[in-house]
Amino acid sequence: MNFTRWSARLPGTQRRAAARTEQTASPDRRGEGSVPAARAEQLTDEPPPVPAVDELRVREVLDRVPSLVALVHGPDHRIAYVNDAYTTAFGVRPLGERAREALPELDALGLFPLLDQVQRSGKPRTVKSRKAPDGRSYTFTCTPVAQGDGKGGSDARGVLVFATDVTDHAEAAERLRASERRQRETAVTLQRSLLPQELEEPDDLRVAATYHPGGTEAAVGGDWYDVITLGGGRTALVIGDVMGRGVRAAAVMGQLRTAVRAYARLDLPPHEVLQLLDGLAAEIDANQIATCAYAVHDPNEGKLVYASAGHLPILVRDENGAVLRADEPTGPPLGTGGWMHASGSIPLGPGSTAVLYTDGLVERRDADLDEGIAALANALAGATGTPQVVCDRLVRSAGVTPDHDDDVAVLVLQHPARTGPESELFRNAALELLGGVEAAPRARAFASGVLTSWRFPADLHDLGVLATSELVANSLQHGTPPMRLRLRRTDRRLIIEVTDGDDHLPRRRRAEPADESGRGIAIVATIASNWGCRRTPGGGKAVWCEFALPRPQTT
């Protein structure tokens, strides 16, 4: 193959060719006594002149470059040339043969469609870091070349294949990717280990949650959720998102989640829990902020009481399919300090479904955040079934895939509308405690009648009446009106609660033999499965205890 007939269509090619023609047509005329150039070189100490690029023979240059070079021509890509480096890498290749048969390495690399494209378009193309059959990695650049006809035109097209060995770079990049994968796997493992392995199962709610880490190119974030049974039939639900990525965000998330569980045991209003979390977040890392929504469900109230620290609004689908959005009140994220959070409420009656979620579910780079929330609300309006089914449907509707660029956490809770035999297992009874000393015997008689109608065993009946008597006596002695007794049964427990207008919380103490009081709470704590107290909204307190019901015998 005559290389002087092939030229790459690069700027300046024709100009340099014209310059060579002029130099050939006008040779340097020297006198008869002039010294030949070769003799002059021998008689002087000056280094030999460096030839210009245009004076170098193309084949000599290509034969010596360390990169792999091949030239193919024609529609079936017949081999016109391969340099020494190419032969060293893949062996001798016969000239004139079709490249598909004679250059199997290019076929293995999938380069022939690229050669066709370059030949048709006349534009160069590059593919980066392809691993060849010899085990090394190359970056291939395919450049169109034309075979001239000597009159300024061209009658055939070829492609110059130029391959640079990038094995060292590719291996370094792979080591870096492997290190990043290990770090991500560590963060994901830490993240998952800090999330609840099994959700607590409240008596009155059905719950499900899902967590999807970001794709392999995204570092794991600090999304978390939790379900905490508070006792007395109440349930706390929390979801949060630590800003940032990686192990640090996951570690901060774990500290906040642990703190939430501790604060929840104090049975504080949602805004007070967030107030405590805000101070803790600033202590953990002043530069690390987090959003959080904390909500409490009380089946006796039929609503969800919540507070939000910069988090996205809770969505609630009522029994008729209408979706409500809990927008207000909301405060700044945790860790900012100097803000007094406030609690709000949203109805959550029987047949309702609520969704708490992080921004990865609704936030997209090419769309407004409100549009994502509106799309989620539309999806929730048509989502029916169990909480897990609703979870999966919402994630699918949001287009969350394994390569999603952000973490996603979703918590779904349902307050089921119970009918038929199941409704017999969930009952309520309440009595206003009016009057003076006669209130205690009236309360005992009321509790006895209710527990008898609920067909509790005799021993549980007696324990329930005793606990009622002690709680009412404690309220009559230390509390203020209004006073109220409430009995509630679920499929798993009996709950007895007494409320009054005094906000002084009782505590269990050891009564001395000579003391005339101080034994009521100790008795309740001894006979009941669990007990507790909390302040109620608007002032006052509630003191409760619960008894685990015997499991039905299975045959």
Side-chain angles (χ1 to χ4, degrees), residues 228-460:
I228 309 164
T229 53
L230 302 177
R234 292 155 50 85
T235 305
L237 306 118
V238 60
I239 195 162
D241 185 2
V242 177
M243 303 302 176
R245 299 282 185 178
V247 174
R248 177 60 181 168
V252 172
M253 176 274 290
Q255 295 178 75
L256 292 178
R257 177 176 173 258
T258 301
V260 168
R261 295 192 69 86
Y263 297 148
R265 298 304 178 191
L266 301 175
D267 213 345
L268 299 171
H271 66 276
E272 292 188 23
V273 172
L274 291 190
Q275 210 70 47
L276 293 172
L277 277 179
D278 183 47
L280 177 65
E283 292 178 7
I284 293 174
D285 188 343
N287 298 318
Q288 192 90 50
I289 62 174
T291 64
C292 181
Y294 181 88
V296 175
H297 175 257
D298 188 334
N300 297 317
E301 298 178 358
K303 62 184 178 181
L304 201 62
V305 180
Y306 68 91
S308 175
H311 204 76
L312 299 171
I314 300 171
L315 300 180
V316 176
R317 178 185 184 271
D318 65 19
E319 65 275 14
N320 300 317
V323 177
L324 306 177
R325 176 171 165 169
D327 282 313
E328 298 294 341
T330 186
L334 303 175
T336 55
W339 181 269
M340 295 300 295
H341 292 274
S343 294
S345 65
I346 188 170
L348 189 73
S352 298
T353 300
V355 178
L356 293 78
Y357 52 95
T358 57
D359 57 2
L361 187 67
V362 295
E363 191 173 34
R364 300 293 181 270
R365 296 179 181 177
D366 56 351
D368 185 76
L369 181 60
D370 285 334
E371 294 178 8
I373 297 174
L376 178 63
N378 291 334
L380 177 60
T384 58
T386 66
Q388 189 60 59
V389 170
V390 173
C391 247
D392 296 340
R393 289 189 62 178
L394 295 181
V395 170
R396 285 197 303 270
S397 70
V400 176
T401 60
D403 57 351
H404 195 61
D405 62 357
D406 196 5
D407 289 24
V408 173
V410 184
L411 178 63
V412 174
L413 58 136
Q414 290 179 344
H415 186 188
R418 295 180 171 90
T419 58
E422 189 180 32
S423 65
E424 297 294 322
L425 300 177
F426 291 82
R427 294 293 189 89
N428 277 290
L431 174 68
E432 300 294 333
L433 298 175
L434 303 175
V437 294
E438 71 275 10
R442 287 182 57 242
R444 286 193 294 270
F446 175 79
S448 178
V450 169
L451 298 180
T452 300
S453 68
W454 288 349
R455 299 177 182 177
F456 284 148
D459 57 343
L460 184 56

